[in-house]
Amino acid sequence: EKYRRKTGAQLPENVPVMGAMIERMDTGIGRLLSTLSDLGLESSTVVVFISDNGNVLADQSQAPFRGGKATLWEGGIRVPLVVRWPGRVAPGTRCDVPVITQDLFSTVMDIAGASSDRRPIDGTSLLPWLTGRVVALADNTTRHDYGPVIVLAHATDAGDPFWTLYGHLSRASAE
């Protein structure tokens, strides 16, 4: 009810239920971080928050992005990623290099000092970006097949543009 009464609650980007959910997450995350601090574990604990995909378009606008949940446009694949690691990741650190959830596995392996000699690992460790040891990406082209849809995502150096090619095999078309 609190968010339904707010000015602008009727706008597509201001769904009251989402406001309440965000407040509840904020409260829960605050409790988690306070507990880590109280136990003296905050400097040795990496906390990662990430969403799995965009929002349901019927529930809330993804503006300024096109698409939403279950689409391959920016509104469906661009999600927040927040990392907190006091003493290692400076507050306000920002990485503009496109990443994918598979990068988290490589990052955690790197943080733990572990390696996978038996199998290649999908993803790139984000540790250099998180700790300020930024390195340029080599050609980082990723191809994903979703049945009749092909997604080709590409990124080069951090300053270069990111682009995505969507192709639908049954229509021989691409966007």
Side-chain angles (χ1 to χ4, degrees):
E1 204 50 42
K2 169 182 174 180
Y3 291 95
R4 281 188 174 84
R5 291 190 306 265
K6 291 197 173 276
T7 303
Q10 75 286 357
L11 298 173
E13 63 271 16
N14 295 336
V15 175
V17 171
M18 288 299 292
M21 289 169 57
I22 290 168
E23 181 179 16
R24 188 165 189 144
M25 285 288 299
D26 189 51
T27 300
I29 292 165
R31 289 177 54 206
L32 172 79
L33 296 178
S34 290
T35 300
L36 287 172
S37 179
D38 293 346
L39 295 173
L41 298 173
E42 72 180 331
S43 64
S44 62
T45 304
V46 180
V47 179
V48 178
F49 293 99
I50 187 168
S51 179
D52 63 342
N53 51 40
N55 206 6
V56 176
L57 286 172
D59 293 341
Q60 187 171 15
S61 168
Q62 293 297 111
F65 304 115
R66 179 180 178 190
K69 188 178 198 121
T71 71
L72 299 174
W73 290 299
E74 290 289 304
I77 60 173
R78 185 182 283 233
V79 297
L81 168 63
V82 178
V83 177
R84 182 176 187 266
W85 193 11
R88 301 289 182 97
V89 177
T93 298
R94 182 181 171 101
C95 173
D96 292 322
V97 174
V99 300
I100 191 165
T101 53
Q102 286 88 334
D103 294 334
L104 294 178
F105 181 75
S106 298
T107 304
V108 171
M109 293 279 287
D110 199 7
I111 289 169
S115 66
S116 175
D117 298 330
R118 291 194 246 172
R119 294 187 176 152
I121 297 175
D122 291 332
T124 301
S125 174
L126 304 175
L127 195 55
W129 286 275
L130 296 173
T131 58
R133 296 179 286 125
V134 178
V135 295
L137 281 176
D139 184 23
N140 186 19
T141 301
T142 307
R143 182 176 186 269
H144 302 278
D145 290 309
Y146 295 95
V149 178
I150 295 175
V151 179
L152 181 66
H154 177 81
T156 56
D157 290 340
D160 288 350
F162 172 74
W163 52 262
T164 305
L165 170 70
Y166 305 109
H168 198 284
L169 299 178
S170 66
R171 291 192 303 262
S173 64
E175 294 185 36

